[in-house]
Every structure is written in structure tokens, then in C-alpha cells.
Amino acid sequence: MKLLNINEDRLMRSDYFAILISLLTAALIMLPLLLSAKSKDTDEVKKLKIEDSLSFRYLNCTRAAIVYTSHEAGNCTLSVETKNGDEVLYSEYVRAMGKTARVFDFLNLEDGAYKVVAKKNGKRMERAFNIKDGELSYTGRVVVDPIFKASGTRAIIELPNEQGKNVLVKIIDSKGEVLYSAIEKNEVRKNFEFSEVEAGDYTVLVDIDGDDYHFDYSKK
């Protein structure tokens, strides 16, 4: 009986060992396939790249916002031109990351076809718009964006916020330090004075329920 038990134990260990060898063999066979699949997936991820975007948002009959969204930091040129590009009516060099919005009043433009242009790293995006009877040809929904104005050492942020959303306003310096932060639930009218801060580049961030806008301000 003792010998029988020993033999059974040996047989069981032999079966376990055979199963273990089979599992290891299968794993070694599958490993190159798994690595190949992982490498392929990684290559596919590398190929995916979120492109920048440019939108033209109507605010009222003469005003509209140019919204440029950059998914990588870089310098961009925003301009307003005639449709055939023979005349540049406005041009601005901006440091883009996230959303950059500029609000324009086209009240003094003559009737005709125009376009907004964004240029970055050799790439070019355009959005066309028309002026008819002194007004923008309205075809889109009304989207009210914050208005940013800067003059000398003063910067102003305005937002009607008629829907009473939570609006986060921040000022961040070039080192990422937050110099100002506040949440507003009513109409936003912020007047910032930069005379007491050091010269450099600053970002005014406006976050409206997760929809964020970045505005650049440079103090010389």
C-alpha cells in the first residue's frame, strides 16, 4: 500500500510536470505573436495624431469669434484676409496651446467674401465668411465666447454668461504659477492691471464648464 501511494504520487507529479511543460511551450509559441501584436498596436497609436482646428463663431450680426485650438504648443499666425488673399486686413502672431479666441467686429468691412487663416508649422487652415448688406451672413448657431482686450499694462475679460454657468478665471505666468484664480457665476467683467508684475509672458485662462479659452498677454 505504501509503494502504491508513492507511485500514485509520482504519477501525479509527472502529470503536473507534463502540463507545466505544455503551458510553457504554448506560452513561448504565443509570445512572438503577442509581441508582434503589441508592436503593431503601438505603431497604430503612434500614427494617430489629433489635428489642430479653426472655427468661426457668429456672435451677432457684425461680430464673430475666431477660435483656434492647438493640441501641441507652438507659434501660430492668425489673419483675416480677402477671399482671394490679395489683401490682409488683420494679422497676429500668437503662442498657441489649447483654445485661443479672438473676437472681431466686422462692421466696417465692405460687402464681399473673406476668410480667416491660421498658419502653424507650415500647415494652413481657412474658414470663409461673407458680408452682405453690412452684416455677417448668418448660417451657424450663436455661441458667445469671452472677449479679451489688452492695452498697455491693462487686460480685460468680458463674458455675458446669461446662462449662469460656472466660469473659472485664472492668470498664469510663464513658469506655470497661478497669480489669480476665481470662479464667477454671473456676468464676468474682469479688469487686470499688470503694472506691478515682472516683464514676461502671461496666460489668461477662462474655463466655462470645461470649455476653456487661453489668451496671451506679454508685458515688455
Side-chain angles (χ1 to χ4, degrees):
M1 182 66 68
K2 185 176 180 180
L3 180 61
L4 179 60
N5 288 337
I6 291 174
N7 289 336
E8 287 179 350
D9 182 56
R10 287 177 178 174
L11 288 172
M12 291 175 63
R13 282 186 292 177
S14 176
D15 290 340
Y16 290 149
F17 184 73
I19 293 172
L20 181 60
I21 292 297
S22 298
L23 291 174
L24 288 174
T25 302
L28 290 174
I29 293 173
M30 292 297 296
L31 184 59
L33 297 176
L34 291 173
L35 291 176
S36 176
K38 184 177 180 181
S39 176
K40 184 177 180 180
D41 290 342
T42 303
D43 291 340
E44 291 296 325
V45 171
K46 287 181 180 178
K47 292 178 182 177
L48 295 176
K49 182 179 179 181
I50 302 176
E51 296 294 336
D52 295 349
S53 64
L54 176 69
S55 62
F56 187 85
R57 299 183 179 181
Y58 296 85
L59 302 182
N60 56 36
C61 61
T62 63
R63 295 172 65 244
I66 297 173
V67 183
Y68 178 71
T69 304
S70 175
H71 297 281
E72 293 181 357
N75 294 320
C76 171
T77 301
L78 291 178
S79 61
V80 178
E81 306 175 7
T82 52
K83 185 178 180 179
N84 56 16
D86 61 351
E87 185 179 359
V88 178
L89 308 175
Y90 169 85
S91 182
E92 180 182 3
Y93 195 60
V94 298
R95 185 185 58 187
M97 183 60 192
K99 286 186 178 179
T100 301
R102 297 290 185 268
V103 177
F104 296 92
D105 195 323
F106 299 104
L107 179 64
N108 296 321
L109 284 184
E110 297 179 355
D111 286 4
Y114 300 88
K115 61 185 177 183
V116 294
V117 181
K119 299 177 184 177
K120 179 186 174 187
N121 296 334
K123 293 185 177 181
R124 177 188 180 97
M125 288 179 289
E126 298 183 3
R127 293 292 179 271
F129 66 97
N130 296 296
I131 301 291
K132 184 178 180 181
D133 297 330
E135 297 182 355
L136 288 164
S137 297
Y138 178 77
T139 56
R141 67 186 182 92
V142 176
V143 180
V144 179
D145 295 311
I147 298 174
F148 177 78
K149 304 175 183 177
S151 178
T153 60
R154 180 172 297 180
I156 299 172
I157 285 288
E158 296 179 356
L159 179 69
N161 195 25
E162 295 177 354
Q163 296 178 338
K165 294 184 177 182
N166 290 329
V167 180
L168 172 64
V169 181
K170 283 185 178 183
I171 296 181
I172 306 170
D173 64 14
S174 58
K175 298 178 182 178
E177 182 180 352
V178 178
L179 307 181
Y180 174 88
S181 179
I183 296 178
E184 304 288 337
K185 295 185 178 180
N186 301 309
E187 180 181 7
V188 179
R189 283 184 175 272
K190 293 291 183 182
N191 192 333
F192 299 108
E193 178 58 57
F194 287 85
S195 59
E196 300 299 323
V197 301
E198 297 179 356
D201 296 325
Y202 297 85
T203 299
V204 180
L205 168 68
V206 182
D207 185 304
I208 309 171
D209 282 352
D211 192 10
D212 61 307
Y213 300 81
H214 294 76
F215 304 97
D216 296 326
Y217 174 83
S218 296
K219 182 184 178 184
K220 305 300 183 181

